Amino acid sequence: MTPPPPTLAIVGATGAVGTVVRDVLPVRRHVWGDVRLAAGAEDVGSVCRVAGEDLTIEALTPEFFDGVDIAVVDIPPEISAEWAGVAVERGAVVIDNSPTFRRDPQVPLVVPEINPESVSERPRGIIANPGATVMTMIDVLAVLHAQWELTELVVTSFQAASGLGRAGMARLHDEMAVVGGQRDLGMSPGDVRRVIEHELGPSLFGGPLALNVLPFAGSHVGDGWSSEESKIRQETRKILGMPDLRVSATCVRVPVVSTHSVSVHATFAKPIQVDKARQALVEAPAVVVMDDPENGDYPTPVDIVGADPRFVGRMRQAIDFPRTLDLFVCGDNLRKGAALNMLQTAELVAATL
Amino acid sequence: MTPPPPTLAIVGATGAVGTVVRDVLPVRRHVWGDVRLAAGAEDVGSVCRVAGEDLTIEALTPEFFDGVDIAVVDIPPEISAEWAGVAVERGAVVIDNSPTFRRDPQVPLVVPEINPESVSERPRGIIANPGATVMTMIDVLAVLHAQWELTELVVTSFQAASGLGRAGMARLHDEMAVVGGQRDLGMSPGDVRRVIEHELGPSLFGGPLALNVLPFAGSHVGDGWSSEESKIRQETRKILGMPDLRVSATCVRVPVVSTHSVSVHATFAKPIQVDKARQALVEAPAVVVMDDPENGDYPTPVDIVGADPRFVGRMRQAIDFPRTLDLFVCGDNLRKGAALNMLQTAELVAATL
């Protein structure tokens, strides 16, 4: 007898990532039996249409998880740390998008295209979803690493407002509305900051984002490093299974609504040629090559937001670094960077139940 | 008998850089005798107040240069290639801000804080002013190089709209006016591009800049490299007098009105400590250290636009690269990045006349 299809829970169903989980679900709906939604108190009782079905948002209680086989969770880290254990006790496998469990050696960090086998090694019943900035580049790196052996990575990120969820996107739109049309702004020290903070108060980004770039994302983790930079180093090493990979990252927030970009300087053990690297990426299922800069073809956030693959361009042999490739990659941080990867991982788990 | 003070010409006096030359001149006016202005046909005959004096814009003719001792020139490269020779024939020393002469071994590329002595070696009568992106970081690099010996440089730029002059700034403001307040934009592929190009037509940036980043700046120079990236490598080597310095750059345009930023991963021959590097930069006259990220202190374009120094922050020891420092630097690309450096260089030349 075929077992009944598993029950999926979406926890944080009304957040920026939860909303995309609901958007991405319809074409993947056949995997699942019941789908249940939970969110914060302000949304409990409201009805969402998901894949043609009206679902009522439930409160996050221990009982919510009864009968749930797999829960995809995107809620603030401090809540997620508490509720993951509750969900596991009630019998659910948790796929968590917070940084809380990503470094735990007993928690796999899964990208289905790279380390699908690791979903089975989940002694705590928890699987972590990687950070969205790492997700932007990791598929490209894995494809190149398989053939040329990655040894060093120097990256600079261009991270979108949606990395801070709905509040981040709303704040950027608020700032754009304030400065848009003020043609005298941007030539005097602090004028953009004064106008924005006067209208809107201080920013969750740590400074004005419209007409600016902010060279700090996340929290301070010591020795001058940000949590976003630290995550890039640790999560890249863990996903690729290379605990000694040399990584240095600078993370910068930019005034883009959604979709992260990363400038990558990647060095390999074996001599790498641009043409062969391009061919390997053309053949990779989750990567699209957009690389004809002479004719204006390179990935940009506004062109690829809302799409599933990672888009790579600007592939160049670093002239003075014989085994190094420079490239630029864009990826939707809410979609494959979060929601889609969680659902793909959930499907891998469902196949093991 | 003291010689009469030299005559200064500002060629391209109404452009983005020329305007800043006029803004910066008043406190440096005492060096000069007459000041003459030239610009394109549409501005000839109009009157500009410079340092309390009403000056009439003249046409660019060979006779314009008669009696001019030093001309600071910021006009399109194809015109500048022609007029530099004319000005020299008429007896002027030319300080040119186009890329045209920067690679010529008979033309010095001058940053007064770094290689002031090179102004005297000008067999062609021409001195080149470095590109603004190189200028953003070169003072910081020179200070660190003097003590620790730079060996490798991996950089990613965040270049402002004003790198494309008044037209660039106007276009960004036009785009901001179009998208500002449209809160539904930025979540669907191409929506920002469609709205902007529908209202404004194609962009001089090669794509929409508002709510976006564009990973290509300048023209294509072969093997996938942009002219902006090529300039960073060549000009850094020439200014520092290090023809074999290993440099790799990725240049990205960002929706900032004015002020470039650069993410720098710099490797040295000698072991470098953050504290000592910070102290060396604190003591450097043209550099301001803003580096306490735990308390929100780091440079951003909107906070430092309009200021003379380069502002450096996010200084970190690269964990996996023992002789490497990561840092982030911002500098006003029109001011020290162009106009101020040209006037400082002109003053050095004036002292040699």
Side-chain angles (χ1 to χ4, degrees):
Chain A
M1 221 180 82
T2 316
T7 295
L8 175 72
I10 303 171
V11 179
T14 56
V17 171
T19 301
V20 178
V21 172
R22 291 188 281 115
D23 289 348
V24 171
L25 189 63
V27 295
R28 328 180 77 88
R29 181 68 182 83
H30 60 281
V31 176
W32 305 102
D34 283 350
V35 172
R36 294 188 198 161
L37 311 182
E42 67 283 12
D43 292 319
V44 170
S46 59
V47 173
C48 289
R49 179 156 282 246
V50 180
E53 191 180 4
D54 284 330
L55 301 177
T56 303
I57 307 264
E58 299 176 58
L60 193 53
T61 63
E63 295 72 30
F64 170 79
F65 292 102
D66 289 339
V68 168
D69 294 291
I70 301 173
V72 297
V73 179
D74 185 276
I75 54 179
E78 60 281 12
I79 315 181
S80 150
E82 179 192 340
W83 282 99
V86 174
V88 169
E89 270 173 34
R90 296 275 166 162
V93 174
V94 169
I95 298 167
D96 180 67
N97 196 36
S98 78
T100 311
F101 303 104
R102 290 183 194 148
R103 296 176 62 186
D104 186 328
Q106 296 197 291
V107 173
L109 190 62
V110 177
V111 182
E113 291 84 354
I114 300 176
N115 57 352
E117 70 291 348
S118 66
V119 294
S120 309
E121 301 144 22
R122 49 172 197 267
R124 294 189 60 182
I126 299 171
I127 293 169
N129 201 60
T133 310
V134 171
M135 287 301 297
T136 307
M137 63 178 184
I138 197 74
D139 265 302
V140 168
L141 294 176
V143 168
L144 300 176
H145 172 56
Q147 210 160 331
W148 291 282
E149 290 179 24
L150 190 62
T151 59
E152 287 182 19
L153 197 57
V154 180
V155 301
T156 294
S157 73
F158 298 70
Q159 295 178 226
S162 67
L164 279 83
R166 280 164 52 178
M169 293 188 279
R171 172 72 188 206
L172 175 57
H173 279 304
D174 288 345
E175 294 189 7
M176 292 293 289
V178 167
V179 301
Q182 295 209 39
R183 306 183 68 94
D184 55 332
L185 286 179
M187 293 297 284
S188 306
D191 61 354
V192 169
R193 183 184 286 271
R194 275 191 301 279
V195 167
I196 287 177
E197 293 185 351
H198 176 75
E199 287 291 323
L200 302 172
S203 157
L204 77 169
F205 301 117
L209 188 57
L211 293 178
N212 205 18
V213 301
L214 292 166
F216 195 87
S219 56
H220 186 260
V221 295
D223 293 331
W225 292 93
S226 73
S227 55
E228 287 292 308
E229 289 154 357
S230 178
K231 282 193 276 181
I232 287 182
R233 178 167 176 266
Q234 290 159 352
E235 297 179 20
T236 301
R237 288 172 155 201
K238 183 166 177 174
I239 296 165
L240 296 180
M242 303 178 75
D244 299 320
L245 182 67
R246 300 170 75 193
V247 181
S248 209
T250 299
C251 288
V252 180
R253 188 81 56 191
V254 294
V256 165
V257 178
S258 200
T259 288
H260 290 350
S261 306
V262 185
S263 164
V264 175
H265 177 85
T267 303
F268 299 87
K270 300 180 185 167
I272 185 164
Q273 291 88 33
V274 172
D275 286 351
K276 289 185 180 167
R278 189 180 286 114
Q279 188 56 35
L281 290 169
V282 164
E283 290 166 7
V287 175
V288 172
V289 175
M290 295 179 75
D291 194 19
D292 183 8
E294 216 167 342
N295 294 303
D297 191 33
Y298 41 74
T300 87
V302 300
D303 292 319
I304 70 98
V305 63
D308 288 346
R310 266 49 31 82
F311 293 78
V312 63
R314 298 306 322 284
M315 296 181 66
R316 294 151 289 155
Q317 170 66 56
I319 302 171
D320 301 319
F321 301 81
R323 295 187 177 189
T324 300
L325 208 63
D326 286 326
L327 55 87
F328 192 84
V329 57
C330 296
D332 186 321
N333 54 304
L334 297 181
R335 209 167 169 94
K336 179 65 179 174
L340 177 59
N341 198 67
M342 292 171 86
L343 280 183
Q344 289 173 322
T345 303
E347 290 161 16
L348 287 178
V349 175
T352 70
L353 290 179
Chain B
M1 221 181 83
T2 315
T7 294
L8 175 72
I10 303 171
V11 179
T14 55
V17 171
T19 302
V20 178
V21 173
R22 291 188 280 115
D23 288 347
V24 171
L25 189 63
V27 296
R28 329 180 75 90
R29 182 68 183 82
H30 61 280
V31 175
W32 306 102
D34 283 349
V35 173
R36 295 187 198 160
L37 311 182
E42 68 282 10
D43 292 320
V44 170
S46 61
V47 174
C48 288
R49 177 156 284 247
V50 179
E53 191 179 3
D54 284 328
L55 301 177
T56 303
I57 307 267
E58 299 177 58
L60 192 54
T61 63
E63 296 72 30
F64 170 79
F65 293 102
D66 289 340
V68 167
D69 295 290
I70 300 173
V72 297
V73 179
D74 184 276
I75 54 179
E78 60 281 11
I79 316 180
S80 149
E82 178 193 342
W83 282 99
V86 174
V88 169
E89 270 173 32
R90 297 276 164 160
V93 173
V94 170
I95 298 167
D96 180 65
N97 196 37
S98 78
T100 310
F101 303 104
R102 289 183 194 148
R103 296 177 61 185
D104 186 328
Q106 296 199 292
V107 173
L109 189 62
V110 178
V111 182
E113 292 84 352
I114 300 176
N115 57 352
E117 71 291 348
S118 66
V119 294
S120 309
E121 302 144 21
R122 49 171 198 268
R124 296 188 59 182
I126 300 171
I127 293 170
N129 201 60
T133 310
V134 171
M135 288 300 296
T136 307
M137 64 180 184
I138 198 73
D139 266 303
V140 167
L141 293 177
V143 168
L144 299 177
H145 172 56
Q147 211 159 330
W148 291 280
E149 291 177 25
L150 190 61
T151 59
E152 288 183 16
L153 196 56
V154 180
V155 301
T156 294
S157 73
F158 298 70
Q159 294 179 227
S162 67
L164 278 83
R166 279 164 51 176
M169 293 188 280
R171 171 73 188 205
L172 176 57
H173 278 305
D174 289 344
E175 294 190 4
M176 293 293 288
V178 168
V179 301
Q182 296 209 38
R183 306 183 67 94
D184 54 333
L185 286 178
M187 294 296 284
S188 306
D191 61 354
V192 168
R193 182 183 287 268
R194 275 192 300 279
V195 167
I196 287 176
E197 293 185 351
H198 176 76
E199 287 290 324
L200 303 172
S203 158
L204 77 169
F205 301 118
L209 189 57
L211 294 179
N212 204 19
V213 302
L214 292 166
F216 195 86
S219 56
H220 187 257
V221 295
D223 292 333
W225 293 92
S226 73
S227 56
E228 286 292 308
E229 290 154 356
S230 178
K231 283 193 275 181
I232 286 182
R233 177 165 175 266
Q234 291 159 351
E235 297 179 19
T236 301
R237 288 172 155 200
K238 183 165 177 175
I239 297 165
L240 297 180
M242 303 178 74
D244 299 320
L245 182 66
R246 301 170 74 193
V247 181
S248 209
T250 298
C251 288
V252 180
R253 189 81 57 193
V254 294
V256 165
V257 178
S258 200
T259 288
H260 290 350
S261 306
V262 186
S263 164
V264 175
H265 178 85
T267 302
F268 299 87
K270 300 180 185 168
I272 184 165
Q273 291 87 34
V274 172
D275 285 353
K276 288 183 180 167
R278 189 180 285 114
Q279 188 56 34
L281 290 168
V282 164
E283 289 165 8
V287 175
V288 172
V289 175
M290 295 178 75
D291 194 17
D292 183 7
E294 214 168 341
N295 294 302
D297 191 33
Y298 41 75
T300 86
V302 301
D303 291 320
I304 70 96
V305 62
D308 288 346
R310 267 47 35 81
F311 293 77
V312 62
R314 299 302 324 282
M315 297 181 65
R316 295 150 288 156
Q317 169 66 56
I319 301 171
D320 301 319
F321 301 81
R323 293 185 178 190
T324 300
L325 208 63
D326 286 324
L327 54 86
F328 192 85
V329 58
C330 295
D332 186 321
N333 53 305
L334 297 180
R335 211 169 167 95
K336 177 66 178 174
L340 177 59
N341 198 68
M342 292 173 87
L343 280 182
Q344 289 173 321
T345 303
E347 291 162 14
L348 287 178
V349 176
T352 71
L353 292 179

